[in-house]
């Protein structure tokens, strides 16, 4: 087991120690001044919220502070045993990371009878977890028409088509004023990825007509759709908004009988690609939900499925744990190259890599980006890292892979879906409300308090690990949920209608 995925030991009533070499333990309940942590032989000084760190030894100013047996920052002041370790006395600092390559690679486990799921087989060999028709805007100027067409197809109108999950509109704020920039290339790659996505039986592109992001070249690149299931309309060619909506509705209506012919059937798990994301993380994320999801990822890989780890600014500082698992030196070097790209990207935009964690992350107990990243990497389990992809590139390797995305959840999930992910796994400690358009999003609560408070948004609880439920039991719970939701069981975000506003391609570069 790698350092980043050390399983939490069963909790005492007060705290968790993650590793013998750590300088801190994690409070599992509100600790008040004077409380004795018996197993550690220390007395709490001040108020320590649940999920936050307590120093277990004298830490001198300037010294490294360890959690997960990894450096999470450096003391800004002398810290006494029992003190709260957080933003007032802990900060990021520069230190040499040991980027060894491929030293923790091991053969994947073999499963005699791989699991299956019930999905929609497409003509190009892909298998969808859902059966939607997508309406994709080429430019912000066509967003209103996209919404107008999509809003026509409510559940009542689709009642005669029981195999269709819906008609989903995908408007976005980009598509012009970008010229031949890197951002335009990323946008077009994203649109192409969604247009060929296994969860969409049919696709309608909607353009204005005069935008930089022209539809015709996109359509020329696409192959594999059933006859009549790839269509386009241009507002200017049709005489305006009302006529474009009318024609768009007609073209979607013609697709409905064809889309309804697709039925769920058994498919090998090797056809499933799962995106891994976390949002609204807290001090429990790297203890419960993230490593439990990592255990489920190892199970998925053993069954032949693919899992995508992403959010590069939120693996910064933990990338050395991934280079150890790289299948080849080239894979490790590509990951480090993406880290260097991000350093340059934030620098030229006046930012810093340690502008994380967010306000909510800090309230939940996370102090530095290093600490957050070490917990986030745990989502990737222990399997070999087979490949590294740029944003929205098509995933063509099986197993555990990495895609370079921002940490911003809608942008990250959009890139993973464009790469082919038919399902998203999303861990949260603070209670993120999120869903991905056309791609079911399973949400995992990191703690019992969140599970009990926000059940309306959560699908799976991982917080009972703190109560002593073994990690493998929770990983199996996650694996079973993935199979169920891939086979058609609705997620909470789907029931609540999330997704349409979360389609958000990555905007890179200048807008002119």
């Amino acid at each position: 087991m790698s350092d980043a995925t050390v399983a939490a030991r069963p909790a005492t009533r007060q705290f968790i120690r993650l590793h013998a070499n750590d300088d801190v333990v994690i409070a599992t309940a509100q600790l008040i001044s004077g409380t004795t942590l018996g197993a550690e032989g220390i007395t709490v000084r001040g108020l320590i919220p649940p999920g936050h760190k307590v120093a277990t030894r004298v830490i001198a100013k300037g010294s490294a502070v360890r959690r997960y047996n990894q450096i999470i920052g450096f003391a800004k002041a002398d810290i006494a045993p029992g003190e709260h370790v957080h933003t007032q006395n802990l900060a990021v600092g520069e230190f040499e990371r040991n980027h060894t390559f491929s030293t923790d690679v091991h053969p994947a486990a073999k499963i005699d009878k791989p699991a299956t799921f019930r999905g929609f087989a497409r003509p190009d060999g892909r298998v969808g977890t859902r059966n939607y028709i997508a309406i994709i805007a080429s430019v912000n100027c066509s967003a209103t028409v996209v919404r107008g067409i999509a809003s026509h197809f409510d559940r009542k109108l689709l009642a005669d088509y029981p195999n269709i999950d819906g008609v989903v509109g995908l408007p976005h704020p980009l598509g012009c004023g970008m010229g031949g920039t890197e951002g335009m290339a990323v946008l077009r790659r994203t649109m192409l990825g969604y247009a060929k996505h296994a969860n969409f039986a049919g696709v309608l592109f909607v353009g204005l007509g005069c935008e930089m992001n022209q539809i015709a070249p996109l359509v020329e690149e696409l192959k594999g759709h059933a006859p009549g299931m790839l269509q386009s309309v241009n507002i200017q060619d049709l005489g305006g908004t009302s006529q474009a909506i009318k024609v768009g509705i007609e073209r979607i209506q013609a697709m409905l009988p064809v889309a309804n012919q697709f039925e769920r059937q058994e498919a090998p798990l090797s056809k499933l690609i799962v995106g891994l994301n976390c949002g609204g993380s807290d001090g429990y994320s790297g203890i419960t939900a993230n490593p439990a999801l990592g255990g489920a990822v190892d199970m998925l890989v053993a069954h032949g499925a693919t899992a995508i780890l992403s959010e590069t600014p939120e693996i910064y500082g933990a990338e050395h744990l991934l280079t150890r698992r790289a299948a080849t030196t080239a894979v490790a070097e590509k990951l480090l190259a993406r880290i260097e790209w991000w350093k340059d990207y934030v620098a030229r935009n006046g930012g810093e890599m340690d502008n994380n964690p967010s306000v909510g992350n800090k309230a939940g107990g996370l102090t530095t980006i290093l600490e957050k990243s070490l917990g986030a990497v745990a989502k990737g389990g222990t399997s070999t890292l087979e490949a590294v992809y740029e944003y929205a590139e098509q995933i063509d390797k099986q197993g555990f892979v990495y895609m370079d995305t921002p940490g911003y959840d809608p942008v990250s999930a959009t890139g993973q879906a464009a790469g082919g992910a038919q399902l998203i796994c999303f861990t949260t400690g603070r209670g993120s409300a999120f869903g991905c358009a056309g791609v079911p999003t399973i949400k995992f609560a990191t703690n019992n308090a969140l599970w009990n408070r926000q059940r309306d948004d959560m699908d799976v609880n991982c917080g009972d690990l703190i109560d002593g439920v073994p990690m493998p039991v929770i990983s199996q719970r996650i694996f079973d949920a993935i199979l169920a939701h891939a086979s058609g069981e609705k997620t909470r975000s789907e029931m609540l209608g999330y997704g349409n506003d979360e389609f958000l391609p990555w905007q890179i570069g200048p807008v002119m």
Side-chain angles (χ1 to χ4, degrees):
M1 181 174 289
S2 72
D3 294 332
T5 55
V6 173
R9 300 173 183 176
T12 70
R13 290 186 303 172
Q14 302 166 309
F15 66 91
I16 293 174
R17 171 172 282 280
L18 294 170
H19 195 281
N21 294 338
D22 288 354
D23 301 298
V24 297
V25 293
I26 313 303
T28 58
Q30 183 101 330
L31 302 178
I32 61 174
S33 188
T35 301
T36 299
L37 303 185
E40 297 292 327
I42 60 174
T43 300
V44 172
R45 303 173 181 229
L47 190 67
I48 315 290
H52 285 239
K53 297 174 291 296
V54 187
T56 60
R57 60 192 69 161
V58 174
I59 306 172
K61 180 179 179 179
S63 298
V65 177
R66 288 182 175 269
R67 173 180 174 170
Y68 310 109
N69 194 30
Q70 298 288 326
I71 294 173
I72 62 170
F74 296 83
K76 296 194 293 185
D78 291 339
I79 304 174
E83 281 192 38
H84 184 200
V85 179
H86 201 32
T87 53
Q88 77 280 2
N89 53 20
L90 181 66
V92 172
E94 287 300 320
F95 63 98
E96 190 68 26
R97 293 170 178 80
N98 185 16
H99 289 138
T100 58
F101 293 175
S102 307
T103 57
D104 193 20
V105 173
H106 50 82
K110 299 291 185 181
I111 301 295
D112 293 333
K113 294 182 179 180
T116 62
F117 70 103
R118 293 186 59 77
F120 297 95
R122 304 302 184 193
D124 63 0
R126 301 188 189 201
V127 178
T129 62
R130 297 293 183 268
N131 191 33
Y132 281 99
I133 294 174
I135 310 169
I136 305 176
S138 68
V139 66
N140 175 253
C141 307
S142 60
T144 296
V145 170
V146 166
R147 292 190 180 96
I149 298 169
S151 65
H152 177 80
F153 295 95
D154 57 21
R155 289 312 311 172
K156 183 177 179 181
L157 190 146
L158 294 175
D160 293 335
Y161 304 97
N163 293 331
I164 298 178
D165 287 292
V167 175
V168 59
L170 300 174
H172 59 83
L174 307 176
C176 214
M178 302 166 73
T181 64
E182 183 180 11
M184 181 64 84
V186 167
L187 172 61
R188 293 176 71 81
R189 194 160 68 223
T190 304
M191 291 175 62
L192 285 168
Y194 267 75
K196 63 179 69 170
H197 198 282
N199 286 7
F200 300 130
V203 175
L204 174 69
F205 282 118
V206 179
L208 175 63
C210 60
E211 65 270 25
M212 295 293 297
N213 186 29
Q214 288 288 299
I215 289 175
L218 291 172
V219 173
E220 289 176 6
E221 290 189 45
L222 291 167
K223 302 287 189 295
H225 288 85
M229 300 303 282
L230 176 63
Q231 297 283 338
S232 64
V233 297
N234 268 312
I235 298 169
Q236 291 170 349
D237 292 347
L238 293 170
T241 298
S242 298
Q243 187 65 14
I245 292 174
K246 177 177 179 293
V247 172
I249 289 171
E250 292 171 352
R251 296 190 179 176
I252 295 294
Q253 285 175 328
M255 294 182 190
L256 294 177
V258 179
N260 196 58
Q261 292 175 12
F262 290 97
E263 296 182 354
R264 288 191 182 274
Q265 55 189 271
E266 291 296 323
L269 214 56
S270 59
K271 294 291 187 179
L272 185 65
I273 303 175
V274 178
L276 312 174
N277 272 279
C278 54
S281 300
D282 68 350
Y284 294 118
S285 294
I287 301 173
T288 61
N290 287 355
L293 177 55
V297 165
D298 289 339
M299 295 169 67
L300 287 168
V301 170
H303 283 264
T306 298
I308 314 169
L309 184 66
S310 295
E311 302 178 286
T312 307
E314 296 180 12
I315 64 105
Y316 171 70
E319 66 274 8
H320 61 290
L321 300 177
L322 293 174
T323 60
R324 296 176 189 177
R325 295 160 52 192
T328 65
T329 296
V331 170
E333 289 177 339
K334 187 171 182 180
L335 178 65
L336 294 182
R338 296 317 299 167
I339 296 285
E340 291 303 314
W341 183 93
W342 270 94
K343 290 179 180 178
D344 176 69
Y345 178 63
V346 298
R348 69 177 185 257
N349 285 284
E352 298 178 348
M353 289 296 286
D354 62 351
N355 67 347
N356 235 313
S358 69
V359 173
N361 297 152
K362 291 176 181 177
L366 296 176
T367 307
T368 69
I369 184 57
L370 304 179
E371 181 182 16
K372 185 176 182 180
S373 293
L374 289 163
V377 164
K379 297 193 302 294
T382 63
S383 298
T384 300
L385 178 62
E386 301 290 350
V388 173
Y389 296 89
E390 293 191 27
Y391 186 85
E393 281 190 322
Q394 290 294 291
I395 304 299
D396 56 5
K397 287 271 191 180
Q398 284 182 294
F400 173 59
V401 302
Y402 189 86
M403 177 182 284
D404 179 26
T405 76
Y408 186 35
D409 304 324
V411 180
S412 179
T414 296
Q416 292 178 335
Q422 311 108 300
L423 184 144
I424 303 291
C425 288
F426 191 104
T427 67
T428 181
R430 303 294 292 171
S432 288
F434 176 80
C436 186
V439 179
T441 301
I442 312 174
K443 294 221 280 302
F444 305 92
T446 72
N447 60 84
N448 292 333
L450 169 62
W451 174 252
N452 293 326
R453 181 180 69 250
Q454 207 170 326
R455 289 285 293 272
D456 194 40
D457 292 289
M458 300 296 119
D459 295 289
V460 178
N461 183 31
C462 303
D464 50 1
L465 185 141
I466 301 298
D467 300 326
V469 176
M471 184 75 77
V473 171
I474 300 177
S475 293
Q476 184 67 54
R477 182 188 299 169
I478 291 173
F479 181 81
D480 293 342
I482 288 170
L483 294 187
H485 292 298
S487 299
E489 183 178 317
K490 297 294 185 184
T491 65
R492 293 302 305 164
S493 63
E494 288 179 290
M495 295 178 191
L496 293 167
Y498 279 96
N500 295 77
D501 295 320
E502 288 79 9
F503 175 70
L504 196 59
W506 186 7
Q507 181 175 333
I508 304 176
V511 176
M512 297 174 285

